[in-house]
Amino acid sequence: MSSGRRPSGAARRLAVVLVAVAAVGAGCQQPAPRPPTPSPPSAPSPPPSATGPRAPADFVALSDVDPSIHTDIRYATAHNFVGRPIAGYPEPLCLLTRPAAEALRRVQAAALAEGRSVKVYDCYRPQRAVDDFVAWAKLPGEQQMKAEFYPDVAKSKLFADGYVGTPTAHSRGSTLDLTLVPVPPPTQPGYLPGQPPVACTAPPGQRFPDNSVDMGTGFDCFDPLAHTADARVTGAARANRELLRRLMTAQGFQNYPREWWHYQFTAEPYPRTYFNFPVARSSLP
Ligand SMILES: [Zn+2]
């Protein structure tokens, strides 16, 4: 190819940046509010440690607040839409601000009274994880998980369509992704990297055998069928989505309409701060 007919290096780099900023995100878009540009934490940062920045004093491990809540932290594993562990997740933990964790404890109490338990897929998400999603978005050839997580949506549209966003409310520490499981929960088969994918939009019994109740799609299913109010979701799956929404809104959480699993604590203590400490016990005070 003639170099004289190609855009300049600077122009190509700008194009890449514009595509990434317009397009990408992470697991979940936040409903509101969001700053005009991605930014590092805006609050005074805690002093750095050997492992990176630390969490403020009011961040907690959810398991310390309510050990009865189940966890399935997908971004610490290969079973997610990227297909490998995501940067910033050295441990499969749910970290949240204490007010959000306490509210979720009340959700769990109400859920247990109805024969269900909360299971969380993702909680606080460091900015470095979102940056990892951005980097992944620049690699159009890496689509090994497409058949399960975005079978009918082009990778280049995931972000423009709002399934992934940067920055994400998750980085503010009071937003989480969750589902409901029966009590006691069924055994969930382990995920084997490379196993044949099944579309997250497939009926229960065909898609990945998550031990949750039927929510109409799998988790992180980037498809209109995952929109909370999608009219094609009826029967038990509709009832389960509504139960989750009722339980969560009663304790101050707000759903993101494009993802049945994504909830933001509306009284979040850090509405404008995007943290970057790793998801690890050592990040907590
Ligand atoms: Zn989310």
Side-chain angles (χ1 to χ4, degrees), residues 154-202:
K155 181 178 179 181
S156 61
K157 295 277 288 180
L158 289 183
F159 316 103
D161 285 357
Y163 293 112
V164 188
T166 180
T168 172
H170 282 274
S171 298
R172 305 197 299 258
S174 301
T175 290
L176 71 156
D177 301 330
L178 77 164
T179 189
L180 296 171
V181 298
V183 179
T187 300
Q188 177 171 304
Y191 174 77
L192 301 174
Q195 74 182 58
V198 178
C200 57
T201 51

Short mmCIF file of all heavy atoms in Angstrom, two decimals, residues 154-202:
data_model
loop_
_atom_site.label_atom_id
_atom_site.label_comp_id
_atom_site.label_asym_id
_atom_site.label_seq_id
_atom_site.Cartn_x
_atom_site.Cartn_y
_atom_site.Cartn_z
N ALA A 154 -23.09 -6.66 16.50
CA ALA A 154 -21.69 -6.53 16.06
C ALA A 154 -20.84 -5.99 17.19
O ALA A 154 -21.28 -5.13 17.96
CB ALA A 154 -21.62 -5.59 14.86
N LYS A 155 -19.61 -6.49 17.30
CA LYS A 155 -18.72 -6.00 18.34
C LYS A 155 -18.58 -4.48 18.27
O LYS A 155 -18.55 -3.80 19.30
CB LYS A 155 -17.35 -6.66 18.23
CG LYS A 155 -16.36 -6.21 19.30
CD LYS A 155 -15.02 -6.91 19.21
CE LYS A 155 -14.07 -6.41 20.30
NZ LYS A 155 -12.75 -7.05 20.24
N SER A 156 -18.53 -3.96 17.07
CA SER A 156 -18.35 -2.52 16.90
C SER A 156 -19.57 -1.73 17.37
O SER A 156 -19.49 -0.51 17.54
CB SER A 156 -18.08 -2.20 15.43
OG SER A 156 -19.18 -2.61 14.63
N LYS A 157 -20.70 -2.41 17.63
CA LYS A 157 -21.91 -1.72 18.07
C LYS A 157 -22.16 -1.87 19.56
O LYS A 157 -23.06 -1.23 20.10
CB LYS A 157 -23.13 -2.29 17.32
CG LYS A 157 -23.12 -2.02 15.82
CD LYS A 157 -23.66 -0.65 15.48
CE LYS A 157 -25.18 -0.61 15.68
NZ LYS A 157 -25.72 0.72 15.35
N LEU A 158 -21.39 -2.70 20.25
CA LEU A 158 -21.67 -2.97 21.66
C LEU A 158 -21.70 -1.68 22.47
O LEU A 158 -22.51 -1.51 23.37
CB LEU A 158 -20.58 -3.87 22.25
CG LEU A 158 -20.57 -5.33 21.81
CD1 LEU A 158 -19.47 -6.08 22.55
CD2 LEU A 158 -21.92 -5.97 22.06
N PHE A 159 -20.81 -0.79 22.12
CA PHE A 159 -20.64 0.39 22.95
C PHE A 159 -21.58 1.49 22.51
O PHE A 159 -22.21 2.15 23.35
CB PHE A 159 -19.17 0.78 22.87
CG PHE A 159 -18.31 -0.45 23.01
CD1 PHE A 159 -17.69 -1.02 21.92
CD2 PHE A 159 -18.19 -1.08 24.23
CE1 PHE A 159 -16.95 -2.19 22.03
CE2 PHE A 159 -17.45 -2.24 24.36
CZ PHE A 159 -16.83 -2.80 23.26
N ALA A 160 -21.72 1.66 21.21
CA ALA A 160 -22.66 2.66 20.72
C ALA A 160 -24.08 2.33 21.15
O ALA A 160 -24.90 3.22 21.36
CB ALA A 160 -22.58 2.74 19.19
N ASP A 161 -24.38 1.06 21.30
CA ASP A 161 -25.72 0.65 21.69
C ASP A 161 -25.92 0.68 23.21
O ASP A 161 -26.99 0.32 23.71
CB ASP A 161 -26.04 -0.75 21.17
CG ASP A 161 -26.31 -0.75 19.66
OD1 ASP A 161 -26.31 0.35 19.07
OD2 ASP A 161 -26.52 -1.83 19.10
N GLY A 162 -24.88 1.05 23.94
CA GLY A 162 -25.06 1.27 25.38
C GLY A 162 -24.87 0.04 26.25
O GLY A 162 -25.15 0.08 27.45
N TYR A 163 -24.38 -1.06 25.69
CA TYR A 163 -24.18 -2.24 26.52
C TYR A 163 -22.91 -2.13 27.35
O TYR A 163 -22.76 -2.79 28.37
CB TYR A 163 -24.13 -3.50 25.65
CG TYR A 163 -25.46 -3.79 25.00
CD1 TYR A 163 -25.63 -3.69 23.64
CD2 TYR A 163 -26.56 -4.14 25.78
CE1 TYR A 163 -26.85 -3.92 23.04
CE2 TYR A 163 -27.80 -4.38 25.20
CZ TYR A 163 -27.94 -4.27 23.83
OH TYR A 163 -29.16 -4.50 23.25
N VAL A 164 -21.99 -1.33 26.88
CA VAL A 164 -20.74 -1.14 27.59
C VAL A 164 -20.44 0.36 27.56
O VAL A 164 -20.72 1.02 26.57
CB VAL A 164 -19.61 -1.93 26.91
CG1 VAL A 164 -18.35 -1.90 27.73
CG2 VAL A 164 -20.04 -3.36 26.67
N GLY A 165 -19.89 0.89 28.65
CA GLY A 165 -19.66 2.32 28.67
C GLY A 165 -18.42 2.68 29.46
O GLY A 165 -18.01 1.95 30.36
N THR A 166 -17.82 3.80 29.10
CA THR A 166 -16.70 4.32 29.86
C THR A 166 -16.89 5.81 30.06
O THR A 166 -17.20 6.51 29.09
CB THR A 166 -15.36 4.03 29.18
OG1 THR A 166 -14.31 4.57 29.98
CG2 THR A 166 -15.26 4.63 27.78
N PRO A 167 -16.76 6.33 31.25
CA PRO A 167 -16.57 5.55 32.46
C PRO A 167 -17.87 4.85 32.84
O PRO A 167 -18.92 5.14 32.28
CB PRO A 167 -16.19 6.61 33.49
CG PRO A 167 -16.90 7.84 33.02
CD PRO A 167 -16.87 7.77 31.52
N THR A 168 -17.80 3.95 33.79
CA THR A 168 -19.00 3.24 34.23
C THR A 168 -19.29 3.57 35.68
O THR A 168 -18.37 3.77 36.49
CB THR A 168 -18.82 1.72 34.08
OG1 THR A 168 -19.93 1.06 34.70
CG2 THR A 168 -17.53 1.24 34.72
N ALA A 169 -20.57 3.58 36.00
CA ALA A 169 -20.98 3.83 37.39
C ALA A 169 -20.39 2.80 38.34
O ALA A 169 -20.21 3.08 39.53
CB ALA A 169 -22.51 3.81 37.49
N HIS A 170 -20.06 1.61 37.84
CA HIS A 170 -19.47 0.59 38.71
C HIS A 170 -18.20 1.11 39.40
O HIS A 170 -17.90 0.72 40.52
CB HIS A 170 -19.10 -0.64 37.89
CG HIS A 170 -20.25 -1.53 37.56
ND1 HIS A 170 -20.71 -2.52 38.40
CD2 HIS A 170 -21.03 -1.60 36.46
CE1 HIS A 170 -21.71 -3.16 37.83
NE2 HIS A 170 -21.94 -2.62 36.64
N SER A 171 -17.45 1.99 38.71
CA SER A 171 -16.19 2.48 39.29
C SER A 171 -16.43 3.42 40.46
O SER A 171 -15.49 3.77 41.17
CB SER A 171 -15.36 3.18 38.21
OG SER A 171 -15.03 2.27 37.18
N ARG A 172 -17.68 3.84 40.66
CA ARG A 172 -17.99 4.72 41.80
C ARG A 172 -18.32 3.91 43.05
O ARG A 172 -18.53 4.47 44.12
CB ARG A 172 -19.15 5.64 41.43
CG ARG A 172 -18.86 6.45 40.15
CD ARG A 172 -19.78 7.65 40.00
NE ARG A 172 -21.19 7.34 39.91
CZ ARG A 172 -21.90 7.33 38.78
NH1 ARG A 172 -21.30 7.59 37.63
NH2 ARG A 172 -23.18 7.05 38.78
N GLY A 173 -18.41 2.59 42.92
CA GLY A 173 -18.48 1.71 44.10
C GLY A 173 -19.86 1.43 44.65
O GLY A 173 -19.96 0.76 45.68
N SER A 174 -20.90 1.92 44.01
CA SER A 174 -22.25 1.69 44.54
C SER A 174 -23.19 1.10 43.50
O SER A 174 -24.40 1.19 43.65
CB SER A 174 -22.82 3.02 45.07
OG SER A 174 -21.99 3.56 46.07
N THR A 175 -22.64 0.54 42.46
CA THR A 175 -23.42 -0.07 41.38
C THR A 175 -22.99 -1.52 41.26
O THR A 175 -21.81 -1.84 41.40
CB THR A 175 -23.17 0.71 40.07
OG1 THR A 175 -23.79 1.99 40.17
CG2 THR A 175 -23.71 -0.03 38.86
N LEU A 176 -23.95 -2.38 40.99
CA LEU A 176 -23.62 -3.80 40.90
C LEU A 176 -24.51 -4.51 39.89
O LEU A 176 -25.56 -4.00 39.50
CB LEU A 176 -23.74 -4.47 42.27
CG LEU A 176 -25.16 -4.68 42.82
CD1 LEU A 176 -25.13 -5.83 43.83
CD2 LEU A 176 -25.68 -3.42 43.51
N ASP A 177 -24.04 -5.69 39.49
CA ASP A 177 -24.78 -6.59 38.60
C ASP A 177 -25.15 -7.81 39.41
O ASP A 177 -24.30 -8.41 40.08
CB ASP A 177 -23.91 -7.01 37.42
CG ASP A 177 -23.43 -5.84 36.59
OD1 ASP A 177 -24.14 -4.82 36.53
OD2 ASP A 177 -22.33 -5.94 36.02
N LEU A 178 -26.42 -8.22 39.33
CA LEU A 178 -26.85 -9.32 40.19
C LEU A 178 -28.03 -10.06 39.59
O LEU A 178 -28.65 -9.61 38.62
CB LEU A 178 -27.22 -8.80 41.58
CG LEU A 178 -28.59 -8.09 41.74
CD1 LEU A 178 -28.94 -8.01 43.22
CD2 LEU A 178 -28.60 -6.72 41.12
N THR A 179 -28.30 -11.21 40.20
CA THR A 179 -29.48 -12.00 39.84
C THR A 179 -30.03 -12.61 41.12
O THR A 179 -29.57 -12.29 42.23
CB THR A 179 -29.10 -13.08 38.81
OG1 THR A 179 -30.30 -13.70 38.31
CG2 THR A 179 -28.19 -14.14 39.41
N LEU A 180 -31.01 -13.48 40.97
CA LEU A 180 -31.57 -14.23 42.10
C LEU A 180 -31.36 -15.71 41.86
O LEU A 180 -31.44 -16.18 40.72
CB LEU A 180 -33.07 -13.94 42.25
CG LEU A 180 -33.44 -12.48 42.58
CD1 LEU A 180 -34.96 -12.29 42.48
CD2 LEU A 180 -32.96 -12.11 43.99
N VAL A 181 -31.08 -16.44 42.93
CA VAL A 181 -30.92 -17.89 42.84
C VAL A 181 -31.90 -18.55 43.81
O VAL A 181 -32.29 -17.95 44.82
CB VAL A 181 -29.47 -18.34 43.15
CG1 VAL A 181 -28.50 -17.75 42.14
CG2 VAL A 181 -29.07 -17.97 44.55
N PRO A 182 -32.29 -19.80 43.53
CA PRO A 182 -33.13 -20.52 44.49
C PRO A 182 -32.36 -20.77 45.79
O PRO A 182 -31.14 -20.67 45.83
CB PRO A 182 -33.43 -21.85 43.78
CG PRO A 182 -33.14 -21.60 42.33
CD PRO A 182 -32.05 -20.57 42.31
N VAL A 183 -33.11 -21.11 46.84
CA VAL A 183 -32.51 -21.45 48.13
C VAL A 183 -32.88 -22.88 48.47
O VAL A 183 -34.06 -23.18 48.61
CB VAL A 183 -32.98 -20.50 49.24
CG1 VAL A 183 -32.36 -20.90 50.58
CG2 VAL A 183 -32.63 -19.05 48.90
N PRO A 184 -31.92 -23.79 48.61
CA PRO A 184 -30.49 -23.60 48.32
C PRO A 184 -30.26 -23.57 46.81
O PRO A 184 -31.03 -24.15 46.04
CB PRO A 184 -29.85 -24.82 48.95
CG PRO A 184 -30.89 -25.88 48.87
CD PRO A 184 -32.20 -25.17 49.06
N PRO A 185 -29.19 -22.92 46.37
CA PRO A 185 -28.94 -22.84 44.92
C PRO A 185 -28.49 -24.18 44.36
O PRO A 185 -27.80 -24.94 45.03
CB PRO A 185 -27.82 -21.80 44.81
CG PRO A 185 -27.14 -21.85 46.12
CD PRO A 185 -28.19 -22.19 47.14
N PRO A 186 -28.91 -24.47 43.12
CA PRO A 186 -28.40 -25.69 42.47
C PRO A 186 -26.89 -25.57 42.26
O PRO A 186 -26.33 -24.48 42.24
CB PRO A 186 -29.12 -25.71 41.12
CG PRO A 186 -30.22 -24.70 41.23
CD PRO A 186 -29.81 -23.72 42.27
N THR A 187 -26.25 -26.72 42.08
CA THR A 187 -24.84 -26.72 41.72
C THR A 187 -24.67 -26.13 40.33
O THR A 187 -25.45 -26.42 39.42
CB THR A 187 -24.29 -28.15 41.74
OG1 THR A 187 -24.45 -28.68 43.06
CG2 THR A 187 -22.80 -28.18 41.39
N GLN A 188 -23.65 -25.29 40.19
CA GLN A 188 -23.39 -24.69 38.88
C GLN A 188 -22.14 -25.32 38.29
O GLN A 188 -21.07 -25.26 38.91
CB GLN A 188 -23.21 -23.17 39.01
CG GLN A 188 -22.86 -22.48 37.70
CD GLN A 188 -22.90 -20.97 37.81
OE1 GLN A 188 -23.91 -20.40 38.20
NE2 GLN A 188 -21.80 -20.32 37.49
N PRO A 189 -22.25 -25.89 37.09
CA PRO A 189 -21.05 -26.48 36.49
C PRO A 189 -19.97 -25.42 36.29
O PRO A 189 -20.26 -24.26 36.03
CB PRO A 189 -21.56 -27.00 35.14
CG PRO A 189 -23.04 -27.08 35.28
CD PRO A 189 -23.43 -26.02 36.26
N GLY A 190 -18.74 -25.84 36.41
CA GLY A 190 -17.65 -24.92 36.15
C GLY A 190 -17.57 -24.59 34.67
O GLY A 190 -18.01 -25.37 33.81
N TYR A 191 -17.03 -23.42 34.38
CA TYR A 191 -16.84 -23.02 32.99
C TYR A 191 -15.45 -23.45 32.53
O TYR A 191 -14.45 -23.17 33.20
CB TYR A 191 -16.99 -21.52 32.83
CG TYR A 191 -16.65 -21.04 31.43
CD1 TYR A 191 -17.55 -21.21 30.39
CD2 TYR A 191 -15.42 -20.44 31.15
CE1 TYR A 191 -17.25 -20.81 29.10
CE2 TYR A 191 -15.11 -20.03 29.87
CZ TYR A 191 -16.02 -20.22 28.85
OH TYR A 191 -15.72 -19.82 27.58
N LEU A 192 -15.38 -24.13 31.42
CA LEU A 192 -14.10 -24.56 30.87
C LEU A 192 -13.76 -23.68 29.68
O LEU A 192 -14.49 -23.68 28.69
CB LEU A 192 -14.18 -26.03 30.43
CG LEU A 192 -14.55 -27.04 31.52
CD1 LEU A 192 -14.75 -28.43 30.93
CD2 LEU A 192 -13.48 -27.05 32.60
N PRO A 193 -12.68 -22.91 29.78
CA PRO A 193 -12.31 -22.05 28.65
C PRO A 193 -12.23 -22.86 27.36
O PRO A 193 -11.63 -23.94 27.32
CB PRO A 193 -10.95 -21.50 29.06
CG PRO A 193 -10.98 -21.51 30.55
CD PRO A 193 -11.76 -22.75 30.92
N GLY A 194 -12.87 -22.35 26.33
CA GLY A 194 -12.86 -23.04 25.05
C GLY A 194 -14.03 -23.97 24.84
O GLY A 194 -14.19 -24.53 23.75
N GLN A 195 -14.86 -24.16 25.87
CA GLN A 195 -16.00 -25.05 25.67
C GLN A 195 -16.94 -24.43 24.65
O GLN A 195 -17.01 -23.20 24.51
CB GLN A 195 -16.70 -25.32 27.01
CG GLN A 195 -17.54 -24.18 27.55
CD GLN A 195 -18.17 -24.53 28.91
OE1 GLN A 195 -17.47 -24.85 29.86
NE2 GLN A 195 -19.48 -24.49 28.97
N PRO A 196 -17.70 -25.25 23.93
CA PRO A 196 -18.57 -24.70 22.88
C PRO A 196 -19.55 -23.68 23.44
O PRO A 196 -20.28 -23.97 24.39
CB PRO A 196 -19.30 -25.94 22.35
CG PRO A 196 -18.40 -27.08 22.69
CD PRO A 196 -17.75 -26.71 23.99
N PRO A 197 -19.57 -22.49 22.88
CA PRO A 197 -20.47 -21.46 23.39
C PRO A 197 -21.91 -21.69 22.96
O PRO A 197 -22.16 -22.26 21.89
CB PRO A 197 -19.91 -20.18 22.76
CG PRO A 197 -19.29 -20.64 21.48
CD PRO A 197 -18.75 -22.02 21.75
N VAL A 198 -22.82 -21.28 23.81
CA VAL A 198 -24.24 -21.29 23.47
C VAL A 198 -24.75 -19.87 23.68
O VAL A 198 -24.39 -19.22 24.68
CB VAL A 198 -25.03 -22.28 24.36
CG1 VAL A 198 -26.51 -22.24 24.01
CG2 VAL A 198 -24.47 -23.67 24.21
N ALA A 199 -25.56 -19.39 22.79
CA ALA A 199 -26.03 -18.00 22.86
C ALA A 199 -26.73 -17.72 24.19
O ALA A 199 -27.55 -18.51 24.66
CB ALA A 199 -26.97 -17.71 21.70
N CYS A 200 -26.41 -16.57 24.76
CA CYS A 200 -27.06 -16.15 26.01
C CYS A 200 -28.53 -15.89 25.83
O CYS A 200 -29.27 -15.76 26.81
CB CYS A 200 -26.37 -14.91 26.57
SG CYS A 200 -26.33 -13.51 25.39
N THR A 201 -28.97 -15.81 24.59
CA THR A 201 -30.39 -15.60 24.29
C THR A 201 -31.15 -16.91 24.13
O THR A 201 -32.36 -16.90 23.96
CB THR A 201 -30.53 -14.79 22.99
OG1 THR A 201 -29.74 -15.43 21.97
CG2 THR A 201 -30.04 -13.37 23.17
N ALA A 202 -30.44 -18.03 24.21
CA ALA A 202 -31.09 -19.33 24.05
C ALA A 202 -31.97 -19.62 25.28
O ALA A 202 -31.76 -19.04 26.36
CB ALA A 202 -30.04 -20.43 23.89
#
